[in-house]
Amino acid sequence: MEAARRRGGLSLLITAGIVLVLDRVTKLWAERALPDHPRDLIDGVVGFRYTTNSGGAFSLGDRAPIVFAIAAIVVCAAIAITSFRARPMAHAIALGLVLGGAAGNLIDRIVRGSGLSGRVVDFIDLHVWPVFNIADASIVVGALLLVFLSIRDGAAARDRSPAEPDG
């Protein structure tokens, strides 16, 4: 396998692994430390409060947990299958963020309910936004990074293409 593809694939998988470990460790901590003891880090701005939800990121779509579980399976499979395709490092890291986050929330759904309908642990409370977790944040950051990279790459491709003749 070509060295660049190997580096990109390993970067993707290492990023996903780091996100998954951070997500699991912080959720286990939240389950044990926060249920009866929410904590404000900055009063009225950010704190830790244990809650669970059956929906997607930021508690959206709480009546369709199976839809989010299936979406997570599809996303994880697609990223894993294509993980060693040639791609720039930034794209690999962004996909790793999405993969790690999707896997983290999928594990919650599997271990905290019957089938794929379990609830996801959330604990980061910004007081003006639904409570979320490391997995949610990683998915959002990874997706936003992919959008940014796509826009940037599209602009760079347009700059490289020859000018069209005036009609």
Side-chain angles (χ1 to χ4, degrees):
M1 184 182 310
E2 171 189 330
R5 288 177 57 184
R6 191 170 40 251
R7 267 192 314 276
L10 288 175
S11 296
L12 187 156
L13 295 176
I14 289 169
T15 301
I18 290 168
V19 167
L20 184 57
V21 168
L22 285 173
D23 182 61
R24 300 305 308 149
V25 167
T26 57
K27 285 176 178 174
L28 290 171
W29 168 79
E31 269 185 312
R32 287 171 177 76
L34 298 176
D36 298 321
H37 307 286
R39 300 175 181 157
D40 265 347
L41 297 177
I42 301 172
D43 195 33
V45 177
V46 65
F48 295 134
R49 179 173 59 90
Y50 176 83
T51 186
T52 62
N53 84 75
S54 59
F58 311 112
S59 303
L60 301 174
D62 63 346
R63 296 184 192 266
I66 196 76
V67 171
F68 292 103
I70 291 169
I73 291 168
V74 170
V75 166
C76 288
I79 294 172
I81 290 167
T82 64
S83 63
F84 284 93
R85 286 192 180 166
R87 64 176 48 94
M89 186 65 68
H91 290 80
I93 290 170
L95 288 169
L97 290 169
V98 173
L99 176 59
N105 282 341
L106 180 60
I107 289 170
D108 269 10
R109 292 187 191 290
I110 292 168
V111 301
R112 289 190 173 79
S114 62
L116 297 173
S117 63
R119 300 180 68 79
V120 174
V121 171
D122 289 327
F123 63 94
I124 302 169
D125 187 0
L126 299 179
H127 301 291
V128 295
W129 194 258
V131 181
F132 61 99
N133 58 49
I134 300 293
D136 295 339
S138 294
I139 292 167
V140 170
V141 169
L144 290 173
L145 182 55
L146 286 169
V147 168
F148 169 77
L149 293 169
S150 295
I151 291 169
R152 184 195 69 186
D153 293 349
R158 281 190 303 278
D159 291 345
R160 285 190 306 270
S161 67
E164 293 184 29
D166 292 326

